Amino acid sequence: MSLTVEQQDFQQAVRDFCARECGTREQREALLDPDEEDQSSILYKKLAELGWLGVAIPEEYGGSGGTYVEQTILFEELWRGLAPVKALGPTTTVAGCYKRFGSEEQKREALSAIAAGEVMSISISEPGAGSDVAAIACRADAVGDGYVLNGQKTWCSYAHRAGRILLVARTSRDEKPHAGLTVFEVPRNAQGIETRRISTLGGREVNDVFFSDCFVPAENVVGEIGRGFPQIMAGLDGERLLGAAVGLGIGQRALDDVITYVKERKQFGKAIGTFQALRHRIADLATELECARLLTYEVAQRLERGADPVTTRMTSMAKIKTSEVAKRIALEGMQMMGGYGYATEYDMESHVRHSLVLPIYAGTNEIQREIISGSLGLR
């Protein structure tokens, strides 16, 4: 992986920020917002003031004008540093949609709000439509100068904190199952929206969202009517890259923590990190993580030059590789730490909980394998 001097400086700056602002468990717990496990308004505001929330947003919309590489660096280092700013994930995905398909007015308003610290959410999945986007049933019926939304969405990350939600709804039925979907910008305070948080193994960041006769004006359409499916597909490479960067961060932190532990923990008169069984195990994990990192940053550089079929295949590969390596490191780290790896006194149990979902979100790894095999002519 070859980073420029400026990118290396940025990487170190984010690393130093995390060490200074949230380097201890006590700091992180003191920063958390009420009733939140992984979100701090205080820290989020500081990221905005540093210009990092808009790292890949063009300067004309209030961002820093960075690339996919800087965005990848930011995500890897924030998740490695355990920074409680997890709402940045869905917000960055929303920013990508506005950048590609928003009107000039929508870009000016929404992207500048994101760079300034507004949380946003994207709402695609439904109880009956997960990997199968064509099964979306949430309706958007045209009425007068706008649309009325009705239906249920689920697994919407940080919808309970979002200033606005990007909703994918069905505006028409067509013989082609993927046709007739449209993307809408829905203000979180619009009449007819209800969010209910879902308790999960990793916390309560996801929500069910219910739309009941929720009206939005026609100018809230993002992109083109009926073109929601290709718009969603166009953003998946970027979303998978974010997922890969998160996997790198979690995997690296889990590896850091287990290395620290095995250097300090003594059994049979010596540090357990001197035992060949553990040293070789850690060497293998470090090798796999570095392979994942090289692939991920290659994808980031390729995406900056523009999407193509090979790059799409590689984003799926990166998402698979990083998520499964991170999960393996966390689980093996827990095993090497023994009972302490299972105890909440240490962070390893948290790494395990957060790594287990990595192969599921941003497109399950089963779907990624379908994409990869299909791109190789295996259909």
Side-chain angles (χ1 to χ4, degrees):
M1 181 180 68
S2 178
L3 298 178
T4 66
V5 173
E6 291 78 8
Q7 288 167 344
Q8 292 176 38
D9 289 344
F10 177 58
Q11 182 183 58
Q12 190 60 52
V14 181
R15 196 171 295 174
D16 291 345
F17 173 87
C18 290
R20 182 178 64 253
E21 301 289 339
C22 55
T24 68
R25 176 175 295 191
E26 291 74 21
Q27 283 178 299
R28 293 191 294 274
E29 290 178 350
L31 285 167
L32 290 176
D33 294 343
D35 202 31
E36 294 285 359
E37 293 91 355
D38 283 309
Q39 186 63 20
S40 165
S41 297
I42 295 171
L43 214 58
Y44 209 73
K45 182 180 179 181
K46 288 185 177 181
L47 293 179
E49 291 169 348
L50 288 166
W52 294 351
L53 295 185
V55 65
I57 291 175
E59 292 181 10
E60 59 265 34
Y61 303 119
S64 303
T67 68
Y68 280 110
V69 175
E70 282 82 28
Q71 185 173 274
T72 302
I73 291 169
L74 178 66
F75 270 69
E76 178 181 0
E77 293 302 328
L78 287 177
W79 264 258
R80 179 184 186 179
L82 303 183
V85 289
K86 301 302 188 291
L88 181 58
T91 302
T92 302
T93 299
V94 169
C97 188
Y98 276 115
K99 282 169 60 178
R100 285 184 295 273
F101 302 108
S103 65
E104 190 60 30
E105 182 178 351
Q106 286 171 339
K107 289 178 184 178
R108 280 199 312 271
E109 210 282 318
L111 293 178
S112 62
I114 289 172
E118 183 175 316
V119 171
M120 297 192 189
S121 182
I122 189 162
S123 189
I124 300 174
S125 296
E126 298 179 4
S131 297
D132 184 10
V133 177
I136 284 177
C138 185
R139 299 192 332 271
D141 299 317
V143 288
D145 58 350
Y147 293 82
V148 172
L149 310 173
N150 282 284
Q152 178 185 351
K153 294 291 185 177
T154 193
W155 308 120
C156 304
S157 297
Y158 287 99
H160 63 288
R161 297 292 298 267
R164 63 199 89 183
I165 299 170
L166 280 192
L167 169 73
V168 182
R170 184 164 295 285
T171 45
S172 65
R173 288 284 178 184
D174 194 280
E175 291 182 1
K176 297 179 180 179
H178 292 95
L181 299 175
T182 303
V183 179
F184 294 90
E185 175 190 83
V186 186
R188 175 62 186 81
N189 59 2
Q191 293 293 315
I193 298 180
E194 179 188 358
T195 61
R196 297 178 191 169
R197 298 174 72 177
I198 302 171
S199 294
T200 69
L201 185 66
R204 295 199 304 151
E205 67 185 57
V206 292
N207 299 262
D208 283 317
V209 184
F210 301 87
F211 297 88
S212 302
D213 293 331
C214 177
F215 176 81
V216 292
E219 58 262 30
N220 283 34
V221 171
V222 179
E224 299 179 46
I225 295 289
R227 296 280 297 166
F229 182 76
Q231 289 177 207
I232 296 167
M233 294 298 106
L236 290 184
D237 284 347
E239 185 180 16
R240 290 171 193 139
L241 176 62
L242 293 180
V246 167
L248 288 180
I250 293 175
Q252 186 63 62
R253 182 53 182 255
L255 186 64
D256 293 343
D257 286 355
V258 76
I259 289 173
T260 297
Y261 180 84
V262 300
K263 285 180 177 179
E264 297 174 349
R265 172 69 167 170
K266 291 185 178 180
Q267 289 288 279
F268 309 105
K270 60 174 68 176
I272 64 174
T274 63
F275 300 150
Q276 189 180 73
L278 297 192
R279 286 190 291 120
H280 286 191
R281 202 166 176 179
I282 290 171
D284 285 344
L285 295 175
T287 301
E288 289 297 303
L289 184 63
E290 193 58 32
C291 290
R293 180 174 289 111
L294 291 170
L295 176 59
T296 299
Y297 279 87
E298 172 66 17
V299 165
Q301 292 170 346
R302 290 182 66 102
L303 275 177
E304 203 55 42
R305 298 193 292 268
D308 60 68
V310 174
T311 300
T312 293
R313 179 170 69 217
M314 289 178 68
T315 61
S316 291
M317 290 175 172
K319 197 272 178 177
I320 289 175
K321 186 66 175 177
T322 56
S323 62
E324 296 189 351
V325 166
K327 183 173 74 171
R328 178 185 167 192
I329 293 172
L331 286 169
E332 293 207 24
M334 177 177 281
Q335 180 69 26
M336 284 186 273
M337 290 176 66
Y340 289 110
Y342 193 65
T344 56
E345 176 185 353
Y346 289 83
D347 289 319
M348 192 58 69
E349 61 82 28
S350 174
H351 303 332
V352 169
R353 287 188 287 109
H354 288 99
S355 69
L356 290 178
V357 76
L358 294 177
I360 297 174
Y361 77 61
T364 66
N365 284 5
E366 289 74 18
I367 289 294
Q368 306 312 317
R369 290 183 170 92
E370 283 293 297
I371 293 167
I372 294 166
S373 60
S375 74
L376 297 173
L378 303 172
R379 294 186 183 278

